[in-house]
Amino acid sequence: EPKLPEYDIIEIESGGQKRKIGIIGVCTIDPNLYRAGALGGAMATATPVYETAARLKKMLVEEHGCDLVIPMTHQVMAEDREMARLKMGFPVLVGGHDHDPYVEQVEGSWIVKTGCDATSAAIIDIVWPSASTPGEEPEVTVKLVTCKEYPENKQLSLIAKKHNHVVVEMESAFLCIIPE
């Protein structure tokens, strides 16, 4: 079975600066959220989110020269807040799992969650005032917007529809018949 990548690296050049941004994905290992054997049994040996995030950040900075690492988390808001409180050097945490949108700053780190059903999106601006500004110290602004404010992108809509077909089929499926 193919292993999913733990990270991606984006190189951006703007305003006379060239920056490398690492994006990592981390997922809660709360055993109450998974059935036995879920994810091919991977949860039995998964490392905690904070430990994984620290390991990946260190590797991306030291081995790949990333200026900034942004974790994309899949954990509850309380765990994202705790991750920010640990001051791990993440100016922005982009989170999922919660169904409600959140935009909060905790201990200098922005936590951004857009909620469910793709009704909201976040515009996150990351700006380094000068080339000498350290990677972990950009100016960050966050704006939560309603997706209806923007025109539909037909190509992305087709891709989303293709990936969502299983959910649509399940909405009309009979799971069981309940006796009267």
Side-chain angles (χ1 to χ4, degrees), residues 27-97:
C27 186
T28 184
I29 61 170
D30 181 347
N32 297 315
L33 299 177
Y34 305 100
R35 289 190 306 257
L39 304 173
M43 297 315 289
T45 59
T47 56
V49 169
Y50 312 140
E51 179 183 326
T52 302
R55 174 181 57 82
L56 290 172
K57 179 179 183 252
K58 181 177 184 201
M59 183 264 303
L60 286 167
V61 170
E62 292 178 4
E63 295 177 26
H64 296 279
C66 286
D67 296 287
L68 175 70
V69 177
I70 300 173
M72 295 185 76
T73 70
H74 188 259
Q75 58 187 4
V76 296
M77 187 62 176
E79 290 173 327
D80 280 327
R81 287 182 183 122
E82 182 59 26
M83 192 168 173
R85 282 187 197 99
L86 291 173
K87 296 184 178 184
M88 299 174 70
F90 299 120
V92 179
L93 295 144
V94 177
H97 188 73

